[in-house]
Every structure is written in structure tokens, then in C-alpha cells.
């Protein structure tokens, strides 16, 4: 039997292959290179132990023990990615995209079902059923997707391991993903494989040092050899440590920049999806067939829905250009803030016509209408509710201008 066909070696390599993480098994070329390199190292080590003669099974067994157990070798390849909560930093944005994608599908399905139920069920039952379906569906999908991504993080997956899926999701939810960042993850994978090789060589060097320590006791060279082995091991570990520190520094810099970013990604997604869907509902008014609303109020809702819909489109444009585009975000925030002024006169118009507001629908008929009497308690409550909404709109405009100021500071710093 040739050295390369030794049963112990083949069995050891197969055990290592089984224990390796799934992301590495998907990369056939890298997997073959790693296993071939590991097998060659075991054979070389057995030849050194045999000291020129044909290696025996005992020599191969000792060489395998020096290399370490299959579990310890596989564990090195699972340490991939920067930890963030229970997920890795590199997978976090891919996780959010996947989550929002499935939530979007669930919301769309419930809207379609609600539209088909308009003519057979009361609107409040349809609305309640839709909200219940969205809530339960989003909750279940969030749990399942989170568990899956925690497993991916534990196994050391990166977005590049999922092929074109992250890029396709990035077209729907742009976030900050760029081709350069995808290339960075590919380079990081190469660096990680090299780093693992360094760690593995360091472990082998340590095993060699322990073996040679016993042999050189009788030759008077124990101290010299031991120091040489320690120095080599320190050099190898230092190289691996430097690589790791560089990646941690890059990840820390990215996290620091994201924390300073005044534009909130979740806010833009909610504003775009909520504005477009809610605006379309107010414009199309599927509930008008019930005959519960004053025609003047329905006209008011149509214009108000158009304002909300346009605001949702502005959020969608901001989402498309990316939160890292500081100049683009500044321009669109200013446009959005100026546009939000249009809400104020439209709310004041509703304040001047309290009799058209369908208060009876929301009170179950207990209050038939809001009297246009400034001394009436119902009108006073109605008045201050609208005033508070207007104040909230003005505060939102001030917050937007503050975001423009923060973005200007960020542009000067970076």
C-alpha cells in the first residue's frame, strides 16, 4: 500500500471533510485544495517521524494526533465573520433584506385577500383579519428566518456564499451593499483561509516542538531548539493576529460610521411601504361602498391620500439612492420638508368643517356629528387633536432640518 493510500489518512481526511462548515463544502475548489494540503501535511509529518524509512501505521497515527482532531480543525473555519448580537456583521444586512422581503410578500398577500373580501364582509372585519394575518405571518417568518441566520452565522457563512441572492434582494432593498463590499467579503474569505492555514501550521509547529523537546534532551540542544520553535510559533500567531485586527478595525470603522448616520434605514422603508400602500387605499377608497362617509370627507381623503402617496414615493427615492449618499439625502430631505408644509392647510381645512368628519363611525353611533361650536367639549377635543397633529408635522420638519445639518457635518469629517 502506498503512503498516499493509507487507510488511516483517508479516514482522517473524510472525518475532517464531514466536520467542515457547509459554506466551505459549497466551494469545491477551495475544499479540494484544503483537504489535499492537509493530507500532504499528514504524509510529510509521518515521513519525518519515520526518519527516512517507510512510515508505519503508528507513524501516521502520531502525525494525525499532531494535526489535531477533525472537530478542532473544522472549528477554525467556522470562525468567520464579525460577531454582532447572535449574527455576524457581514450577514446582518442580508438578514434584514430577507426579513423585509418575506414581510412584503405577507403584506401583499393579505392586501389581495382583503380586496377580494370587500363585497362580502364588513370593512372592520376585513381590516381586523388583514392586521391579524400580517402580524402572525410576520412573527412566524421573523422567528424562522432569525433561527436560520443564527445557524448561518455559527457556521461562518458570508453573503458571497449565497451566490446572486443577496444582489437580487439588494435591488429591492438597496441598503449599503455595493460590488466593492461584495469583493471585500470575497477577499476576506481568502484571508480567512490563509489565516486558518497559519493557525494550523502554528499548531503543527507546537506539536513538533513538543516532540523534538523529548528527542533533543539527549543531544544537549533542548534550549536552542525550544526557543526556535517558540519563536516560529509566535511569528505565525502574530501574523494571524495582525490579519484579525485589521478586519476588526475595518468592521469597527464601518459600525462607527453607521451609528453617526442620521438617516434611519428602517424609517425610510416604513415610510416608503406605508406611504404608498396607505395613500393608495385612501385614493381608491374601497370602503366608500359602505356609504358610511360624507362625500365631502371622501373628497378630502382622496387629496390627503395623494399627499401621503407622494410622500411615500419620496421615501422610496431616498431608499433607492442609499443612506450613505449624504448629498442626495440632504437634497431630498429639504424637498420632503418643504413638501410636508402642504399637510398643514389641508388639516386646517378639516378643522373648519368638523361636521363632515365621520365621528359616528368611530364611536359606534354614540356621537352622531361634531358640532361647529367652539364651546362644545366634543369640538374642543377635535380642535386640539388636529392642532397636535399640525404641531407634530412642524416638529418633524425641524427634525429633518437637523438631519440636514448632521449630514453636512459628516461630509466635512469624512
Amino acid at each position: 500500500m502506498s503512503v498516499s493510500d493509507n487507510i488511516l489518512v483517508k479516514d482522517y481526511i473524510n472525518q475532517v471533510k464531514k466536520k467542515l462548515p457547509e459554506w466551505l463544502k459549497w466551494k469545491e475548489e477551495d475544499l479540494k485544495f484544503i483537504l489535499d494540503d492537509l493530507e500532504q501535511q499528514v504524509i510529510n509529518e509521518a515521513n519525518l517521524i519515520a526518519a527516512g524509512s517507510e512510515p508505519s501505521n503508528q507513524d501516521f497515527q502520531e502525525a494525525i494526533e499532531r494535526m489535531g482532531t477533525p472537530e478542532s480543525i473544522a472549528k477554525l473555519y467556522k470562525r468567520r465573520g464579525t460577531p454582532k448580537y447572535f449574527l455576524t456583521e457581514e450577514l446582518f444586512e442580508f438578514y434584514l433584506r430577507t426579513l423585509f422581503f418575506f414581510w412584503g410578500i405577507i403584506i401583499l398577500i393579505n392586501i389581495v385577500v382583503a380586496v377580494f373580501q370587500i363585497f362580502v364582509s364588513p370593512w372592520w372585519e376585513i381590516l381586523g383579519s388583514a392586521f391579524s394575518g400580517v402580524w402572525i405571518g410576520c412573527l412566524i417568518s421573523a422567528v424562522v428566518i432569525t433561527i436560520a441566520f443564527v445557524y448561518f452565522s455559527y457556521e461562518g457563512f458570508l453573503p458571497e456564499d449565497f451566490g446572486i441572492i443577496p444582489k437580487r434582494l439588494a435591488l429591492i432593498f438597496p441598503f449599503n451593499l455595493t460590488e466593492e463590499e461584495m469583493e471585500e467579503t470575497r477577499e476576506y474569505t481568502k484571508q480567512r483561509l490563509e489565516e486558518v492555514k497559519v493557525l494550523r501550521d502554528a499548531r503543527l509547529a507546537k506539536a513538533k516542538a513538543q516532540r523534538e523537546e523529548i528527542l533533543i534532551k539527549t543531544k544537549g540542544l533542548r534550549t536552542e531548539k525550544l526557543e526556535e520553535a517558540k519563536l516560529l510559533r509566535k511569528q505565525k500567531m502574530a501574523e494571524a493576529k495582525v490579519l484579525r485586527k485589521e478586519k476588526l478595525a475595518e468592521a469597527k470603522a464601518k459600525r462607527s460610521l453607521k451609528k453617526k448616520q442620521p438617516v434611519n434605514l428602517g424609517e425610510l422603508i416604513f415610510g416608503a411601504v406605508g406611504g404608498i400602500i396607505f395613500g393608495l387605499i385612501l385614493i381608491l377608497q374601497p370602503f366608500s361602498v359602505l356609504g358610511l362617509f360624507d362625500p365631502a370627507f371622501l373628497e378630502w381623503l382622496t387629496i390627503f391620500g395623494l399627499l401621503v402617496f407622494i410622500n411615500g414615493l419620496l421615501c422610496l427615492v431616498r431608499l433607492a439612492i442609499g443612506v450613505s449618499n449624504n448629498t442626495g439625502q440632504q437634497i431630498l430631505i429639504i424637498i420632503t420638508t418643504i413638501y410636508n408644509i402642504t399637510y398643514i392647510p389641508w388639516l386646517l381645512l378639516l378643522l373648519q368643517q368638523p361636521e363632515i368628519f365621520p365621528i359616528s363611525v368611530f364611536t359606534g353611533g354614540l356621537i352622531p356629528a361634531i358640532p361647529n361650536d367652539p364651546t362644545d367639549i366634543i369640538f374642543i377635543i377635535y380642535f386640539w387633536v388636529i392642532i397636535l397633529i399640525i404641531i407634530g408635522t412642524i416638529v418633524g420638519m425641524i427634525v429633518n432640518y437637523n438631519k440636514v445639518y448632521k449630514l453636512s457635518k459628516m461630509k466635512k469629517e469624512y
Side-chain angles (χ1 to χ4, degrees):
M1 180 184 296
S2 65
V3 171
S4 60
D5 292 332
N6 186 277
I7 296 176
L8 287 175
V9 177
K10 291 297 181 183
D11 183 62
Y12 176 68
I13 297 300
N14 288 333
Q15 290 298 321
V16 171
K17 183 178 180 180
K18 290 179 182 178
K19 299 294 182 180
L20 287 173
E22 291 298 324
W23 69 265
L24 190 53
K25 293 178 183 178
W26 292 358
K27 301 176 182 291
E28 295 183 1
E29 292 184 4
D30 290 337
L31 178 64
K32 185 176 185 304
F33 174 79
I34 289 169
L35 295 178
D36 290 346
D37 179 65
L38 181 62
E39 182 179 1
Q40 191 59 46
Q41 280 193 326
V42 173
I43 293 172
N44 292 342
E45 195 64 21
N47 286 327
L48 288 175
I49 296 171
S53 60
E54 184 73 17
S56 63
N57 283 340
Q58 186 176 356
D59 295 329
F60 280 113
Q61 186 62 44
E62 185 174 345
I64 289 171
E65 290 175 359
R66 290 185 184 184
M67 296 303 297
T69 63
E71 290 81 4
S72 64
I73 292 177
K75 190 175 180 181
L76 296 173
Y77 292 96
K78 293 183 179 182
R79 297 171 186 167
R80 184 173 175 240
T82 309
K84 178 174 183 177
Y85 310 119
F86 293 100
L87 307 176
T88 56
E89 179 77 27
E90 291 77 8
L91 276 182
F92 195 71
E93 290 186 359
F94 181 34
Y95 161 71
L96 288 179
R97 289 190 197 93
T98 306
L99 204 59
F100 284 127
F101 176 75
F102 280 97
W103 282 358
I105 292 176
I106 291 169
I107 292 171
L108 182 62
I109 291 173
N110 280 275
I111 290 175
V112 172
V113 172
V115 169
F116 281 105
Q117 290 180 341
I118 286 176
F119 302 103
V120 296
S121 300
W123 68 270
W124 55 86
E125 290 184 7
I126 297 173
L127 196 60
S129 176
F131 276 121
S132 176
V134 169
W135 166 250
I136 295 174
C138 289
L139 182 62
I140 294 174
S141 64
V143 171
V144 174
I145 292 170
T146 301
I147 291 174
F149 273 85
V150 168
Y151 168 76
F152 292 151
S153 298
Y154 178 78
E155 288 292 311
F157 278 85
L158 290 179
E160 62 164 274
D161 302 322
F162 296 90
I164 63 172
I165 296 177
K167 291 184 179 180
R168 292 291 183 265
L169 287 177
L171 294 176
I172 306 173
F173 305 105
F175 288 52
N176 297 322
L177 186 69
T178 62
E179 184 61 33
E180 290 77 12
E181 289 178 341
M182 290 294 290
E183 185 62 31
E184 284 180 12
T185 62
R186 297 188 191 100
E187 290 298 323
Y188 172 64
T189 298
K190 293 178 182 178
Q191 291 178 4
R192 182 57 192 162
L193 293 177
E194 290 296 326
E195 183 181 341
V196 170
K197 193 174 186 302
V198 170
L199 291 173
R200 201 177 64 205
D201 291 343
R203 176 182 291 177
L204 184 58
K206 182 179 179 180
K208 282 183 179 180
Q210 292 174 346
R211 174 71 177 178
E212 290 174 359
E213 184 179 351
I214 299 173
L215 297 176
I216 62 179
K217 282 181 180 179
T218 58
K219 298 179 181 179
L221 299 175
R222 178 177 178 275
T223 304
E224 181 181 349
K225 290 290 185 181
L226 186 59
E227 289 299 324
E228 182 181 344
K230 284 182 178 179
L231 180 61
L232 178 62
R233 186 167 67 251
K234 286 181 179 179
Q235 288 175 344
K236 296 286 187 181
M237 293 301 292
E239 291 174 5
K241 196 172 182 181
V242 168
L243 288 174
R244 184 64 176 171
K245 281 185 176 180
E246 288 177 356
K247 295 307 296 182
L248 288 175
E250 290 178 8
K252 188 175 180 181
K254 288 181 180 179
R255 286 197 301 270
S256 177
L257 182 60
K258 286 181 181 180
K259 287 179 181 178
K260 292 182 179 180
Q261 179 61 257
V263 179
N264 187 290
L265 186 62
E267 178 185 345
L268 291 181
I269 294 173
F270 179 78
V273 176
I276 292 172
I277 293 176
F278 185 61
L280 285 174
I281 291 174
L282 294 182
I283 294 170
L284 299 175
Q285 297 180 358
F287 45 80
S288 61
V289 296
L290 300 174
L292 300 174
F293 301 96
D294 189 286
F297 182 71
L298 291 175
E299 291 179 6
W300 185 92
L301 278 182
T302 301
I303 304 300
F304 188 76
L306 181 61
L307 296 177
V308 174
F309 179 76
I310 294 173
N311 196 37
L313 291 179
L314 288 173
C315 288
L316 185 63
V317 174
R318 290 176 60 192
L319 188 63
I321 67 172
V323 294
S324 59
N325 187 340
N326 294 336
T327 303
Q329 289 295 336
Q330 278 183 301
I331 295 172
L332 285 170
I333 287 174
I334 293 173
I335 293 173
T336 302
T337 305
I338 296 173
Y339 172 77
N340 286 345
I341 297 175
T342 57
Y343 286 103
I344 296 176
W346 205 245
L347 290 168
L348 291 174
L349 179 63
L350 187 63
L351 185 61
Q352 294 175 354
Q353 298 176 318
E355 66 277 0
I356 70 171
F357 188 82
I359 188 66
S360 62
V361 175
F362 300 100
T363 61
L366 295 176
I367 303 175
I370 298 175
N372 197 353
D373 181 5
T375 62
D376 192 284
I377 185 63
I378 298 174
F379 178 84
I380 293 172
I381 295 173
Y382 174 76
F383 174 85
W384 282 109
V385 168
I386 293 183
I387 292 299
L388 288 174
I389 295 173
I390 293 174
I391 292 173
T393 303
I394 296 172
V395 171
M397 293 165 62
I398 296 172
V399 171
N400 281 343
Y401 277 118
N402 185 48
K403 288 181 180 180
V404 173
Y405 172 71
K406 288 182 178 179
L407 286 169
S408 298
K409 288 183 65 177
M410 285 185 62
K411 287 167 66 177
K412 291 179 181 178
E413 291 178 4
Y414 300 95

